[in-house]
Amino acid sequence: METKVAIVTGAVNGIGRAIADRLVENNFTAVICDINQDEGQKLEEKSSDFEGEYRFKHCNVAREEDVARVVKGVIEEYGQIEALVNNAGIIKRRVGEEISISDWDQVFAVNTRGAFLFCKYLRPQFKEQKQGRIVNISSIAGKMGDITSAPGYGPSKAALDGMTKTFARDLAPYNVTVNGVAPHAIETDMSSEWSEEKRKRIISEIPLKRLGQPEDVAGAVSFLLSDAASFITGEIIDVNGGFLMD
Ligand SMILES: NC(=O)c1ccc[n+]([C@@H]2O[C@H](COP(=O)([O-])OP(=O)(O)OC[C@H]3O[C@@H](n4cnc5c(N)ncnc54)[C@H](O)[C@@H]3O)[C@@H](O)[C@H]2O)c1
């Protein structure tokens, strides 16, 4: 079976890791772009029972020179890139008047500019291939505002959703689909700061009465990368246990 290549950002931990695992199971080489050098290298050494494999590239998605270097290297090495999953994201929890402008900017630099940079540098390759899939990992906070006092986070994800639709229109003539996945309340490091009380309240407000798992998001991404989703573009799929039904 032919191995396909997918770039997944922020994939050493959490949701990105589950996406990379699913890709490797599905015969992809998952090129993991993350700032966590030690864990990333361990992942590259991890053997897989499947045909696909893990590759690690140290990359801060907010830095243009990092993204340009990684994209150039991956194209030189593999020639063809089937998919890009922009997953790297951060949150800074402070109420409005307490968040510093540098923290607010940093949230946008990782969550929004990082995804833009990968789209920008991969665009010529996808155009030439006349084939490709992009999935941007957004958040419910992009649609309804942030519920955890993170004034930069919701806007950064709303901008990401706008960018998803913009690139969906832009790349549609080249047979490239661009979609988003908007999770809510997934059990990862990002949600581990919640107090027990807050966790219980969040679960009580979710119709399916549980937190999501990284694999729940990976399932939606896997669908968007599959042939079954070839006529879907510019869509933001909710993975939220029914918390928001729009
Ligand atoms: N966990 C949730 O409840 C939840 C809900 C909605 C949306 N999301 C989104 O899902 C995505 C993944 O979140 P998660 O919960 O798995 O987070 P996480 O904190 O568990 O993992 C984030 C990963 O991104 C990497 N990373 C951080 N900054 C980076 C940078 N500048 N460049 C490259 N890599 C970087 C980290 O090293 C880590 O591997 C994010 O975009 C997040 O906004 C998460």
Side-chain angles (χ1 to χ4, degrees):
M1 239 201 267
E2 197 189 328
T3 299
K4 296 178 278 183
V5 176
I7 293 175
V8 192
T9 69
V12 162
N13 286 311
I15 291 170
R17 173 62 191 279
I19 293 168
D21 288 347
R22 179 68 73 96
L23 283 165
V24 169
E25 282 171 29
N26 289 335
N27 203 37
F28 275 83
T29 290
V31 180
I32 291 159
C33 301
D34 202 294
I35 48 174
N36 190 336
Q37 175 85 31
D38 292 345
E39 293 301 317
Q41 262 170 350
K42 278 188 208 154
L43 200 49
E44 189 167 88
E45 286 151 19
K46 182 181 142 85
S47 62
S48 139
D49 295 333
F50 303 93
E51 292 295 315
E53 60 177 359
Y54 302 89
R55 300 297 307 277
F56 174 70
K57 306 282 176 198
H58 184 266
C59 175
N60 179 347
V61 301
R63 286 169 55 100
E64 184 171 13
E65 55 271 42
D66 281 18
V67 177
R69 169 184 50 82
V70 165
V71 170
K72 187 168 178 282
V74 175
I75 291 170
E76 278 171 8
E77 191 171 350
Y78 297 101
Q80 164 116 351
I81 316 284
E82 271 72 25
L84 162 68
V85 183
N86 283 308
N87 166 78
I90 58 169
I91 192 165
K92 301 273 182 189
R93 292 193 175 95
R94 308 265 187 291
V95 294
E97 69 273 30
E98 284 173 13
I99 191 165
S100 68
I101 291 302
S102 67
D103 275 358
W104 197 87
D105 283 346
Q106 202 193 341
V107 171
F108 266 79
V110 176
N111 297 3
T112 317
R113 190 172 72 203
F116 172 71
L117 287 171
F118 270 94
C119 290
K120 171 183 158 69
Y121 280 95
L122 273 167
R123 187 177 183 278
Q125 176 69 20
F126 280 144
K127 266 181 72 178
E128 197 184 308
Q129 292 176 181
K130 293 203 167 29
Q131 181 194 335
R133 299 285 169 96
I134 300 175
V135 179
N136 294 324
I137 305 302
S138 183
S139 167
I140 195 170
K143 292 190 176 187
M144 60 180 288
D146 193 78
I147 57 167
T148 60
S149 295
Y153 185 75
S156 75
K157 294 296 191 178
L160 182 63
D161 292 350
M163 201 173 77
T164 296
K165 292 173 189 175
T166 300
F167 273 107
R169 290 182 189 281
D170 171 49
L171 288 170
Y174 307 100
N175 188 32
V176 176
T177 68
V178 187
N179 292 289
V181 173
H184 168 58
I186 310 297
E187 269 194 301
T188 67
D189 285 354
M190 190 177 273
S191 51
S192 63
E193 293 165 16
W194 297 336
S195 66
E196 199 44 42
E197 189 193 343
K198 183 169 179 175
R199 205 180 142 87
K200 281 192 183 138
R201 179 175 53 73
I202 287 174
I203 293 172
S204 74
E205 290 167 351
I206 295 174
L208 286 176
K209 297 287 173 242
R210 68 169 175 90
L211 294 179
Q213 296 303 313
E215 293 72 21
D216 293 318
V217 183
V221 173
S222 180
F223 165 67
L224 287 170
L225 299 184
S226 73
D227 289 345
S230 63
F231 199 51
I232 301 175
T233 198
E235 180 61 40
I236 316 289
I237 295 186
D238 292 324
V239 179
N240 63 27
F243 181 68
L244 172 70
M245 301 184 187
D246 64 348

